[in-house]
């Protein structure tokens, strides 16, 4: 599909020309009211659990939302899209990756960008009742990466009820995004993520002291250090580079058979050049790439509106593919 060069995102807030402000201000100050999820806990095949948060009204249309790194279903961007779609007559499933629902998971492993086995477990559970005739997927940052990787891995075998996906601020190339986050100007994000990740590792070490060594853990300052020491061994990768190579979603795009929109802002501080897969999107029959000039990382706020432009854009895109 051709690239979508003329984005409809046009917010005139004072901070729009600064990608950092567009990222940080909504993250710290945006609040979405009126969302009361119903939580469901499901068991995984390896005797662990995943927590699912639902908004149900007996609709036959379902949107499944995937949060970003160290996020949850409670993040502003998830609750915003959940509320927007629910008000328009959709049921909503906002799922939490392992360890992200407010309770540390049972197993030694946790989650990472490429963890599509849990994604598949969640989708199979959501669709087993045959309640939903039309299903769309959306994800933010890491959640977008997992969504695209899942669709690429499934290819033509994806459940036929899944009709479209729309993802935002996606680290399409995982290593390139990790390199971007090593830059000095991104120190704020790096420290914020690592603080949360290291807290979880310390909790895990209390349960698995023989498998997890936390000596010197507070000296870790970069993602590749963390991934080399913890992500890779806890999830059966040879090393950090094997994790990045195996988990990056862009290697699976050729096999995506569901209309999928990637929206990555040009001023996103967390995305490197390889996170804008223009070459693939130009010739791909199902992949759409939209690159607004502004938006930051999972920002895209609309002046004077509770909902975000991501909510509007996702709804607008998926409507074209509902049978």
């Amino acid at each position: 599909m051709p690239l979508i060069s003329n984005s409809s995102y046009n917010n005139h807030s004072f901070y729009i020309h600064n990608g950092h402000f567009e990222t940080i201000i909504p993250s710290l100050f945006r609040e979405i009211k009126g969302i009361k999820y119903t939580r469901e806990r499901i068991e995984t095949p390896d005797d662990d659990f995943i927590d699912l948060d639902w908004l149900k009204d007996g609709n036959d249309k379902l949107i499944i939302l995937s949060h970003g790194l160290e996020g949850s279903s409670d993040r502003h961007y998830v609750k915003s899209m959940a509320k927007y779609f629910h008000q328009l007559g959709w049921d909503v499933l906002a799922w939490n990756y392992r360890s992200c629902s407010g309770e540390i998971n049972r197993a030694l492993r946790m989650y990472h960008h490429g963890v599509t086995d849990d994604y598949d477990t969640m989708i199979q559970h959501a669709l087993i009742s045959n309640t939903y005739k039309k299903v769309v997927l959306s994800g933010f940052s890491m959640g977008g990466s997992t969504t695209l990787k899942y669709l690429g891995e499934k290819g033509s075998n994806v459940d036929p009820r899944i009709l479209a996906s729309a993802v935002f601020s996606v680290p399409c190339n995982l290593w390139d995004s990790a390199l971007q986050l090593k830059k000095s100007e991104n120190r704020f994000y790096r420290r914020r993520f690592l603080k949360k990740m290291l807290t979880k590792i310390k909790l895990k070490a209390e349960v698995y002291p023989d498998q997890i060594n936390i000596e010197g853990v507070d000296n870790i300052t970069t993602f590749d250090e963390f991934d080399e020491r913890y992500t890779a061994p806890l999830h059966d990768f040879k090393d950090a580079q094997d994790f990045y190579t195996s988990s990056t979603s862009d290697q699976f795009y050729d096999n995506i058979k569901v209309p999928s929109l990637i929206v990555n802002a040009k001023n996103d501080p967390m995305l490197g050049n390889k996170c804008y897969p223009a070459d693939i999107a130009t010739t791909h029959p199902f992949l759409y790439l939209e690159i607004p000039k502004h938006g930051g990382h999972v920002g895209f706020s609309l002046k004077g509106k509770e909902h975000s432009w991501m909510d509007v854009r996702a709804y607008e895109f998926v409507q074209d593919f509902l049978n």
Side-chain angles (χ1 to χ4, degrees):
M1 293 292 173
L3 301 179
I4 302 172
S5 55
N6 296 318
S7 177
S8 63
Y9 181 60
N10 186 23
N11 180 352
H12 296 288
S13 296
F14 73 94
Y15 54 80
I16 190 166
H17 295 295
N18 187 303
H20 294 291
F21 287 169
E22 280 201 276
T23 301
I24 295 169
I25 289 176
S27 179
L28 294 181
F29 301 111
R30 188 170 179 231
E31 183 179 1
I32 307 299
K33 298 179 180 179
I35 293 294
K36 293 184 179 180
Y37 293 122
T38 299
R39 174 155 291 186
E40 179 184 16
R41 176 165 291 183
I42 63 173
E43 298 292 312
T44 63
D46 61 342
D47 193 32
D48 205 349
F49 67 87
I50 303 172
D51 285 333
L52 315 181
D53 288 324
W54 290 89
L55 297 176
K56 287 184 178 181
D57 275 333
N59 299 299
D60 65 356
K61 296 178 293 184
L62 175 69
I63 183 168
I64 297 175
L65 305 177
S66 302
H67 62 78
L69 183 70
E70 284 306 302
S72 72
S73 62
D74 199 44
R75 291 296 287 147
H76 67 90
Y77 51 83
V78 177
K79 292 172 74 174
S80 178
M81 190 170 290
K83 185 174 184 178
Y84 190 83
F85 270 75
H86 193 231
Q87 290 175 335
L88 290 170
W90 292 66
D91 279 8
V92 179
L93 167 54
W95 76 291
N96 299 274
Y97 289 72
R98 299 191 196 202
S99 80
C100 293
S101 62
E103 180 180 342
I104 203 74
N105 64 307
R106 294 193 296 260
L108 177 63
R109 62 173 279 194
M110 290 188 283
Y111 75 95
H112 58 80
H113 282 72
V115 66
T116 48
D117 59 340
D118 284 349
Y119 198 100
D120 189 55
T121 296
M122 173 270 299
I123 284 185
Q124 288 189 41
H125 176 80
L127 300 186
I128 196 169
S129 66
N130 291 318
T131 300
Y132 300 110
K133 298 177 180 179
K134 301 174 183 180
V135 180
V136 300
L137 312 176
S138 189
F140 310 88
S141 193
M142 179 190 71
S145 180
T146 308
T147 299
L148 294 173
K149 182 173 181 283
Y150 174 81
L151 291 173
E153 289 173 341
K154 284 291 183 180
S156 299
N157 294 318
V158 71
D159 191 293
R161 288 169 287 185
I162 298 176
L163 302 178
S165 74
V167 294
F168 300 86
S169 303
V170 184
C172 298
N173 185 280
L174 193 53
W175 177 238
D176 206 36
S177 179
L179 289 176
Q180 189 73 10
L181 282 162
K182 291 181 76 170
K183 294 182 176 181
S184 59
E185 62 264 31
N186 289 327
R187 186 183 299 110
F188 171 82
Y189 314 113
R190 188 170 64 247
R191 287 179 173 175
R192 193 177 183 197
F193 284 133
L194 284 172
K195 182 179 180 180
K196 296 178 180 180
M197 293 159 69
L198 293 174
T199 296
K200 287 184 179 178
I201 283 295
K202 293 173 185 177
L203 291 173
K204 278 289 178 185
E206 294 176 4
V207 183
Y208 296 97
D210 295 334
Q211 290 99 323
I212 299 178
N213 178 8
I214 59 171
E215 182 179 353
V217 68
D218 291 321
N219 296 324
I220 293 176
T221 60
T222 64
F223 284 105
D224 48 335
E225 289 177 277
F226 181 90
D227 292 330
E228 182 72 28
R229 185 166 177 181
Y230 296 114
T231 306
L234 292 181
H235 300 93
D236 297 323
F237 297 104
K238 291 184 293 184
D239 51 29
Q241 198 57 55
D242 181 41
F243 159 61
Y244 294 126
T245 302
S246 302
S247 300
T248 188
S249 64
D250 54 358
Q251 65 183 311
F252 298 97
Y253 293 174
D254 284 344
N255 203 37
I256 290 175
K257 306 298 182 185
V258 170
S260 297
L261 172 69
I262 302 172
V263 179
N264 284 350
K266 196 169 185 178
N267 70 343
D268 190 320
M270 302 188 201
L271 303 183
N273 291 333
K274 293 181 180 179
C275 295
Y276 302 88
D279 289 346
I280 299 174
T282 300
T283 58
H284 200 296
F286 297 105
L287 199 64
Y288 299 72
L289 177 62
E290 186 168 344
I291 308 175
K293 291 181 180 179
H294 309 293
H297 191 80
V298 200
F300 300 104
S301 55
L302 290 174
K303 188 176 182 179
K305 302 290 186 180
E306 182 188 38
H307 60 267
S308 82
W309 177 79
M310 292 184 290
D311 310 335
V312 177
R313 187 67 184 99
Y315 184 79
E316 173 188 83
F317 180 79
V318 303
Q319 283 296 114
D320 289 339
F321 304 101
L322 301 184
N323 298 328

